[in-house]
Amino acid sequence: MSLVKKFVIVASGTMVSRIFGFIREMLMAIALGTGPVADAFNAAFRFPNTFRRLFAEGAFNSAFVPLFTKEIEKGAETAQKFSEEVFGVLFSILLVMTIIIELSMPFLMTYVIAPGFTADAGKFEMTGRLAAIMFPYLTCMSLAAMMGSMLNSLHRYFPVAIAPIFLNIILIGVLIWAWFAKLDASNIGLALSWGVMAAGVIQLLIVWIAVRNAGMKIGLRMPHFTSNIRHLLVLALPAAITGGITQINLLINISIASTDAGAVSSLVYADRFYQLPLGVIGIAVATVLLPELSCALRGGKLKKAHALQNRSVELTLFLSLPSAAAFLVISEPIVRLLFEHGQFDVHATAVVSSILAVYGLGLPAFVLIKAFIPSFFAREDTRTPMIFAGISAAVNVSLATMLFPFLSAKGIAIAEITAGWVNAILLFLMLARRGHWSSDRTLLKRIPIFLISSAVMVLVLSSAISHLAWPLSSAAPLTMRFFTTVALMLGAMAVYFGMVFLSGGAPLSMIRKNLVSKEEKIK
């Protein structure tokens, strides 16, 4: 299977999941707005979700894939034994962690999850209750992430790509049922929390069945810290910090934002938009690139490894730069169209759209991080990215603490994107210094084309928006706003892609024509 097809499989599954996520957030905005229950649910859900991405997707995926790839080369039986050893240790750690967290929930609520909620007893109690219901979701999703890493290493990307869709489908179903049942806000929050738990179990079942179909039957073993497990943990510890840098920043930011009513929900709603291109582009590239690079480097195919790195960066910039540019100028019409209903008012639109515009500036940085980090992990170097992650986390916390009193949630967004750019630049400089990065002429030629095309798109969009103020305003009928916004987006895409193709900067055909065919031949 070609590299492009692998990207498309992962990206399409992520795209569908993000679209359902938008529908979920639209229904939540209608039902809860940016009120206290919305703040409580978002803060509570962020807690297990952060741990999931930090310890499962971040650490175990980054450390597990290169080691599992090595075991596959020794044979299926060896790889299965290794995966069972990992499963036994991971399950035991997660079980103990879940028990400790559940017992420590009052303390964590006060000092970690949402210290700002202590001034509102009702919101504080609700957040703690929802967090206690949802935290076991971490166990399900961490085990699912570990099995997903196995499937990615076996080049079976589809089950992993579609599994997250079920979280959004279940929560959409809960919100529709709540609307018909006329539940109040508190009961909607409780129903959503139980929906999260159910989704975790279903996603775990999906990847478990897929792993069995792939010929890997994982049995539950007693945990034993073998030499392989010790090596995995040595790699996973720094990878837990590195792979979860965005989540670490978000958890800290949520804690800071909890002191301002509505700030938590505003950040989450803006993050939903920003996660669409980040998930579709960045996560797809990172998911495919790590096992591909691991195989190439282990086989001594340095030419193939450099080609993979260059084409991955090319693809991320080709798609992320226009997305970032669009967020800068069209965020308010998009937020108004999708979220400004029910409890979500004009003021909420202004706040969320201003945060989204800031996130646009950081989008290229975060997708580049997704493209750079596999180059370290494939070489079993998790320490260097950990150091850079710590530096960027310090930048984030310092700026967020400084800016929040003056700019509220927007200040937190500025801190996030600044930290993202610091991390991306440090990663790139280190790869170049070590000789692990070799830019080719094609990449250097196309980056300016992408930048110029994005700039022209921004100018055209800005001019069009200035002439379409009323059709995009809250006063206009919903259908008029919908068709006007869609027309603007289609027009922007036509301008960008038209300029890129006409100037010879379109990379997809080149990837398909040159990289894929060469990938098959480089042995």
Side-chain angles (χ1 to χ4, degrees):
M1 185 187 296
S2 73
L3 186 67
V4 170
K5 287 182 180 177
K6 293 169 185 174
F7 283 150
V8 169
I9 288 173
V10 179
S12 59
T14 306
M15 171 74 84
V16 173
S17 178
R18 294 296 193 264
I19 290 172
F20 276 106
F22 266 114
I23 297 171
R24 179 192 93 196
E25 295 297 341
M26 287 170 63
L27 294 175
M28 282 189 64
I30 293 170
L32 303 175
T34 55
V37 176
D39 274 355
F41 176 80
N42 287 319
F45 185 42
R46 180 70 66 186
F47 189 55
N49 218 26
T50 297
F51 274 93
R52 172 179 67 86
R53 296 186 183 184
L54 187 62
F55 294 109
E57 294 176 0
F60 264 80
N61 182 56
S62 304
F64 178 79
V65 168
L67 298 183
F68 186 69
T69 301
K70 186 191 300 183
E71 297 300 320
I72 289 174
E73 292 177 358
K74 299 177 183 177
E77 187 176 339
T78 305
Q80 180 170 317
K81 180 183 177 183
F82 174 63
S83 62
E84 285 184 336
E85 291 174 352
V86 174
F87 187 88
V89 172
L90 180 59
F91 178 78
S92 302
I93 292 173
L94 290 168
L95 184 62
V96 172
M97 181 188 295
T98 300
I99 293 170
I100 292 173
I101 293 291
E102 292 286 359
L103 294 175
S104 308
M105 194 59 72
F107 172 82
L108 293 170
M109 273 295 305
T110 305
Y111 297 103
V112 179
I113 302 176
F117 289 1
T118 52
D120 185 335
K123 185 193 286 190
F124 182 84
E125 183 183 351
M126 170 64 72
T127 307
R129 189 175 180 186
L130 301 184
I133 293 171
M134 287 188 282
F135 195 81
Y137 170 80
L138 167 68
T139 299
C140 295
M141 293 311 302
S142 297
L143 296 174
M146 178 244 166
M147 293 186 205
S149 298
M150 294 174 62
L151 291 169
N152 289 334
S153 300
L154 295 168
H155 308 296
R156 298 190 178 218
Y157 299 102
F158 184 69
V160 186
I162 65 164
I165 296 171
F166 288 89
L167 169 65
N168 292 319
I169 290 175
I170 289 173
L171 295 188
I172 288 169
V174 168
L175 287 164
I176 292 173
W177 167 74
W179 184 75
F180 280 109
K182 301 187 186 305
L183 296 184
D184 60 20
S186 297
N187 283 316
I188 291 174
L190 288 170
L192 287 169
S193 299
W194 286 112
V196 169
M197 263 303 304
V201 174
I202 290 172
Q203 289 178 73
L204 177 58
L205 284 174
I206 289 170
V207 293
W208 178 74
I209 292 170
V211 165
R212 286 182 64 87
N213 290 338
M216 293 280 175
K217 297 180 180 179
I218 301 179
L220 184 61
R221 293 188 174 205
M222 292 294 291
H224 293 291
F225 288 89
T226 62
S227 58
N228 279 336
I229 296 297
R230 288 195 297 271
H231 186 34
L232 175 67
L233 293 176
V234 167
L235 294 176
L237 182 60
I241 301 172
T242 307
I245 181 59
T246 303
Q247 299 307 310
I248 294 170
N249 287 340
L250 285 175
L251 185 60
I252 295 169
N253 292 343
I254 290 295
S255 178
I256 296 171
S258 65
T259 58
D260 187 6
V264 171
S265 298
S266 296
L267 284 166
V268 170
Y269 287 131
D271 185 65
R272 173 55 60 186
F273 286 97
Y274 153 76
Q275 286 294 328
L276 177 60
L278 178 60
V280 172
I281 305 165
I283 294 175
V285 167
T287 299
V288 175
L289 189 57
L290 180 57
E292 296 293 326
L293 270 178
S294 297
C295 289
L297 292 171
R298 197 160 299 286
K301 303 169 187 175
L302 297 181
K303 186 177 178 182
K304 177 181 175 181
H306 287 309
L308 286 167
Q309 290 173 322
N310 279 281
R311 299 291 75 79
S312 296
V313 169
E314 191 175 278
L315 182 61
T316 58
L317 291 177
F318 172 64
L319 296 174
S320 67
L321 286 174
S323 300
F327 282 152
L328 287 174
V329 292
I330 201 174
S331 57
E332 187 168 335
I334 294 175
V335 173
R336 178 177 294 119
L337 174 67
L338 296 179
F339 284 170
E340 198 176 294
H341 313 282
Q343 298 299 312
F344 198 98
D345 56 20
V346 176
H347 173 70
T349 296
V351 173
V352 172
S353 60
S354 68
I355 296 170
L356 180 58
V358 173
Y359 276 149
L361 294 171
L363 179 60
F366 285 108
V367 294
L368 285 173
I369 289 169
K370 297 288 186 183
F372 291 152
I373 281 184
S375 297
F376 292 92
F377 290 160
R379 294 174 172 86
E380 297 185 17
D381 175 13
T382 55
R383 183 174 176 272
T384 302
M386 178 194 70
I387 294 170
F388 295 158
I391 293 170
S392 62
V395 170
N396 173 74
V397 174
S398 301
L399 278 178
T401 305
M402 263 190 334
L403 297 176
F404 183 72
F406 306 101
L407 299 173
S408 188
K410 191 174 180 179
I412 288 179
I414 293 171
E416 276 187 52
I417 66 112
T418 304
W421 277 110
V422 168
N423 199 8
I425 292 169
L426 289 173
L427 289 168
F428 173 74
L429 291 176
M430 184 55 71
L431 284 173
R433 181 183 176 185
R434 292 178 176 177
H436 296 161
W437 183 270
S438 177
S439 300
D440 57 23
R441 290 183 180 179
T442 303
L443 178 63
L444 295 177
K445 172 189 172 184
R446 287 176 173 161
I447 290 176
I449 293 175
F450 301 155
L451 289 168
I452 293 169
S453 300
S454 299
V456 172
M457 186 193 77
V458 165
L459 292 174
V460 172
L461 261 181
S462 300
S463 177
I465 290 172
S466 67
H467 289 87
L468 296 169
W470 188 80
L472 294 171
S473 68
S474 303
L478 180 60
T479 52
M480 180 179 289
R481 277 187 282 149
F482 173 78
F483 286 112
T484 305
T485 305
V486 170
L488 279 173
M489 294 173 67
L490 291 176
M493 291 171 61
V495 170
Y496 175 77
F497 290 113
M499 285 196 64
V500 170
F501 278 94
L502 290 173
S503 59
L508 293 181
S509 60
M510 293 298 292
I511 291 174
R512 198 175 291 112
K513 182 180 178 181
N514 296 326
L515 172 63
V516 178
S517 59
K518 290 177 183 177
E519 181 184 343
E520 303 294 337
K521 295 176 184 177
I522 298 172
K523 302 293 183 184

